[in-house]
Amino acid sequence: MTFSELAAIVLLLGLAGVGCSRSPAMEPDRNPQQGAILLSAHGCGSCHTIPGVSGASGTIGPPLAGYARRAYIAGKLPNQLDNLMRWIRDPQSIEPGTAMPNLPVNEAEARAMAVYLYTLR
Ligand code: HEC
């Protein structure tokens, strides 16, 4: 077998998803730091103080320190992953008129942010 044949096989295996298919940076569950970057990028920190998120020292919304130990989200929903993702994407449908605006956050981003918040104990 020539080197280029071998390279072609390795490439095909990669495309077929054999072995390690996703990079750690795309796997929020394994890399909560991704969530911290998103929380910063989406401006959540302009309203919330969030430990470990750069520039997140806002006081308009409640501080999110210790969020993993919180029983309820905004006093409304049991604090679990799917509910937290819903809240992050669409707080206005859960609590109409809340001062937290609906922000353009997709599902993967909301998941990454929630995963990060659950590292806060
Ligand atoms: C304009 C200010 C503002 C921005 C921006 C904002 N929030 Fe909020 N957030 C609030 C307010 C105010 C509340 C309290 C809502 C309530 O209880 O009705 C809140 C509540 C929350 C809660 C529930 C807190 C609790 O005590 O249970 C979470 C979680 C949260 N925000 C996450 C985020 C995330 C993540 C982002 C960024 C995508 C974000 N917020 C952006 C103002 C904001």
Side-chain angles (χ1 to χ4, degrees):
M1 192 185 299
T2 66
F3 176 75
S4 60
E5 280 168 339
L6 185 64
I9 289 166
V10 168
L11 181 68
L12 283 172
L13 286 174
L15 290 174
V18 174
C20 177
S21 56
R22 297 177 76 188
S23 80
M26 298 302 293
E27 199 62 82
D29 299 333
R30 288 194 211 132
N31 184 7
Q33 221 36 52
Q34 194 78 2
I37 293 164
L38 288 164
L39 287 160
S40 175
H42 281 84
C44 313
S46 63
C47 290
H48 295 283
T49 295
I50 317 172
V53 173
S54 91
S57 55
T59 55
I60 294 165
L64 302 181
Y67 210 73
R69 289 184 282 115
R70 203 72 71 79
Y72 285 93
I73 298 163
K76 281 259 184 184
L77 299 171
N79 187 11
Q80 54 201 39
L81 181 67
D82 52 340
N83 284 339
L84 185 52
M85 289 170 62
R86 249 182 84 198
W87 173 267
I88 291 170
R89 297 190 69 195
D90 191 9
Q92 295 294 329
S93 79
I94 296 161
E95 196 167 314
T98 176
M100 176 159 159
N102 281 6
L103 296 162
V105 174
N106 70 32
E107 190 169 336
E109 291 167 334
R111 177 181 296 273
M113 292 186 217
V115 165
Y116 179 79
L117 293 176
Y118 287 144
T119 66
L120 304 176
R121 300 199 162 264

